[in-house]
Amino acid sequence: MTDAELKSMIITLLGDYATMLQWTDASPILDLIVDDVRLAFAVTDITAITDIRALRATAQYYAFQAALAGVATLYDFSVDGRTFNRSQIVNNLKSLVSVWAKNPHVKLADALDTTNDYLITAIPLTFTHDPYAPRRSTNYRDRPKDVE
Protein backbone atom coordinates (compact mmCIF):
# COMPACT_ATOMS: atom_id res chain seq x y z
CA MET A 1 0.00 0.00 0.00
CA THR A 2 1.33 3.43 -0.93
CA ASP A 3 0.88 6.74 0.89
CA ALA A 4 -1.75 7.83 -1.64
CA GLU A 5 -3.68 4.57 -1.26
CA LEU A 6 -3.56 4.87 2.54
CA LYS A 7 -4.84 8.46 2.39
CA SER A 8 -7.68 7.42 0.09
CA MET A 9 -8.56 4.56 2.44
CA ILE A 10 -8.63 6.95 5.41
CA ILE A 11 -10.99 9.36 3.62
CA THR A 12 -13.27 6.47 2.66
CA LEU A 13 -13.19 5.11 6.19
CA LEU A 14 -14.02 8.44 7.80
CA GLY A 15 -16.90 9.02 5.35
CA ASP A 16 -19.21 11.74 6.70
CA TYR A 17 -16.63 12.78 9.30
CA ALA A 18 -14.16 13.59 6.52
CA THR A 19 -16.88 15.53 4.69
CA MET A 20 -17.80 17.48 7.84
CA LEU A 21 -14.14 18.28 8.53
CA GLN A 22 -13.63 19.12 4.82
CA TRP A 23 -10.77 16.65 4.54
CA THR A 24 -9.70 15.43 1.10
CA ASP A 25 -6.84 13.26 -0.12
CA ALA A 26 -4.77 16.46 -0.31
CA SER A 27 -5.45 17.62 3.27
CA PRO A 28 -2.29 18.16 5.35
CA ILE A 29 -3.83 16.28 8.29
CA LEU A 30 -3.60 13.07 6.26
CA ASP A 31 0.16 13.54 5.98
CA LEU A 32 0.29 13.67 9.77
CA ILE A 33 -1.79 10.49 10.07
CA VAL A 34 0.49 8.70 7.61
CA ASP A 35 3.51 9.96 9.58
CA ASP A 36 1.98 8.57 12.79
CA VAL A 37 1.57 5.19 11.09
CA ARG A 38 5.20 5.29 9.92
CA LEU A 39 6.36 6.11 13.45
CA ALA A 40 4.26 3.30 14.91
CA PHE A 41 5.93 0.79 12.60
CA ALA A 42 9.35 2.49 12.81
CA VAL A 43 9.66 2.70 9.02
CA THR A 44 10.31 5.55 6.61
CA ASP A 45 8.17 4.15 3.80
CA ILE A 46 4.64 2.76 4.09
CA THR A 47 5.39 0.20 1.38
CA ALA A 48 7.86 -1.46 3.77
CA ILE A 49 4.99 -2.55 6.03
CA THR A 50 4.03 -6.12 5.16
CA ASP A 51 1.32 -6.71 7.80
CA ILE A 52 -1.60 -5.09 5.95
CA ARG A 53 -4.11 -5.92 8.71
CA ALA A 54 -1.97 -4.10 11.29
CA LEU A 55 -1.37 -1.24 8.85
CA ARG A 56 -5.10 -0.74 8.26
CA ALA A 57 -6.00 -1.06 11.96
CA THR A 58 -3.29 1.38 12.98
CA ALA A 59 -4.29 3.86 10.28
CA GLN A 60 -7.92 3.65 11.38
CA TYR A 61 -6.96 4.30 15.00
CA TYR A 62 -4.90 7.38 14.10
CA ALA A 63 -7.56 8.60 11.64
CA PHE A 64 -10.31 8.47 14.27
CA GLN A 65 -7.99 10.10 16.79
CA ALA A 66 -7.29 12.95 14.36
CA ALA A 67 -11.00 13.32 13.57
CA LEU A 68 -11.75 13.50 17.29
CA ALA A 69 -9.20 16.29 17.65
CA GLY A 70 -10.85 18.03 14.69
CA VAL A 71 -14.32 18.02 16.26
CA ALA A 72 -13.25 18.53 19.89
CA THR A 73 -14.45 22.13 19.90
CA LEU A 74 -18.01 21.30 18.86
CA TYR A 75 -20.56 22.17 21.50
CA ASP A 76 -24.32 21.88 21.92
CA PHE A 77 -26.44 24.96 21.35
CA SER A 78 -30.02 26.07 20.77
CA VAL A 79 -31.19 28.77 18.42
CA ASP A 80 -34.60 29.71 17.03
CA GLY A 81 -36.30 26.88 18.91
CA ARG A 82 -33.94 24.25 17.48
CA THR A 83 -31.37 22.29 19.48
CA PHE A 84 -28.10 21.11 17.99
CA ASN A 85 -26.48 18.28 19.98
CA ARG A 86 -23.11 18.30 18.31
CA SER A 87 -21.51 16.63 21.34
CA GLN A 88 -22.94 13.39 19.94
CA ILE A 89 -20.31 13.59 17.20
CA VAL A 90 -17.55 13.98 19.80
CA ASN A 91 -18.91 11.12 21.93
CA ASN A 92 -19.21 8.82 18.91
CA LEU A 93 -15.61 9.50 17.86
CA LYS A 94 -14.42 8.98 21.44
CA SER A 95 -16.03 5.56 21.44
CA LEU A 96 -14.49 4.71 18.04
CA VAL A 97 -11.02 5.72 19.25
CA SER A 98 -11.55 3.61 22.37
CA VAL A 99 -12.63 0.58 20.32
CA TRP A 100 -9.69 0.85 17.93
CA ALA A 101 -7.21 1.40 20.79
CA LYS A 102 -8.19 -2.05 22.10
CA ASN A 103 -7.76 -3.74 18.72
CA PRO A 104 -4.86 -6.19 19.02
CA HIS A 105 -3.62 -5.34 15.51
CA VAL A 106 -3.16 -1.64 16.26
CA LYS A 107 0.48 -0.68 16.63
CA LEU A 108 1.05 2.45 18.70
CA ALA A 109 4.14 4.61 18.47
CA ASP A 110 6.32 4.84 21.57
CA ALA A 111 5.68 8.52 22.21
CA LEU A 112 7.17 8.62 25.70
CA ASP A 113 10.63 7.64 26.82
CA THR A 114 9.85 5.20 29.62
CA THR A 115 13.36 5.36 31.04
CA ASN A 116 12.71 8.74 32.67
CA ASP A 117 10.91 9.19 35.96
CA TYR A 118 7.84 11.29 35.23
CA LEU A 119 4.10 10.89 35.32
CA ILE A 120 1.44 12.44 33.12
CA THR A 121 -2.08 12.43 34.49
CA ALA A 122 -5.21 13.62 32.71
CA ILE A 123 -8.39 14.25 34.67
CA PRO A 124 -11.78 15.59 33.56
CA LEU A 125 -12.60 19.06 34.88
CA THR A 126 -16.07 20.38 35.51
CA PHE A 127 -16.64 24.11 35.88
CA THR A 128 -19.51 24.64 38.30
CA HIS A 129 -19.48 28.43 38.70
CA ASP A 130 -22.21 30.10 36.67
CA PRO A 131 -21.18 33.71 35.99
CA TYR A 132 -24.78 34.60 35.12
CA ALA A 133 -26.36 33.26 38.30
CA PRO A 134 -27.80 35.88 40.69
CA ARG A 135 -25.33 36.86 43.40
CA ARG A 136 -25.63 38.55 46.71
CA SER A 137 -24.78 42.19 46.33
CA THR A 138 -21.66 43.53 48.01
CA ASN A 139 -22.91 47.08 47.69
CA TYR A 140 -23.54 48.57 51.14
CA ARG A 141 -26.70 50.34 49.87
CA ASP A 142 -28.31 46.97 49.10
CA ARG A 143 -27.93 45.65 52.66
CA PRO A 144 -31.01 45.30 54.84
CA LYS A 145 -31.78 48.44 56.91
CA ASP A 146 -31.53 46.62 60.28
CA VAL A 147 -27.86 45.77 59.70
CA GLU A 148 -25.42 48.42 60.93
Side-chain angles (χ1 to χ4, degrees), residues 37-148:
V37 172
R38 282 192 199 108
L39 287 172
F41 284 91
V43 298
T44 57
D45 187 8
I46 290 292
T47 59
I49 301 170
T50 57
D51 186 350
I52 300 301
R53 178 182 289 171
L55 170 62
R56 289 175 58 112
T58 303
Q60 289 170 348
Y61 169 76
Y62 284 115
F64 284 126
Q65 196 176 46
L68 177 59
V71 301
T73 58
L74 296 181
Y75 52 87
D76 297 343
F77 67 96
S78 297
V79 64
D80 296 331
R82 296 175 59 194
T83 301
F84 299 89
N85 295 323
R86 300 186 311 176
S87 63
Q88 291 174 338
I89 297 166
V90 175
N91 292 334
N92 188 27
L93 280 168
K94 279 182 187 178
S95 67
L96 287 169
V97 168
S98 176
V99 166
W100 280 103
K102 295 173 188 170
N103 185 312
H105 298 289
V106 171
K107 202 164 172 39
L108 300 178
D110 293 328
L112 300 176
D113 178 7
T114 56
T115 59
N116 293 328
D117 295 326
Y118 55 83
L119 174 67
I120 298 174
T121 305
I123 59 170
L125 298 177
T126 304
F127 188 67
T128 58
H129 174 71
D130 182 0
Y132 300 105
R135 295 186 295 192
R136 289 183 20 179
S137 175
T138 56
N139 188 337
Y140 73 93
R141 292 185 185 122
D142 295 337
R143 288 193 282 174
K145 298 295 181 201
D146 59 338
V147 176
E148 299 201 21

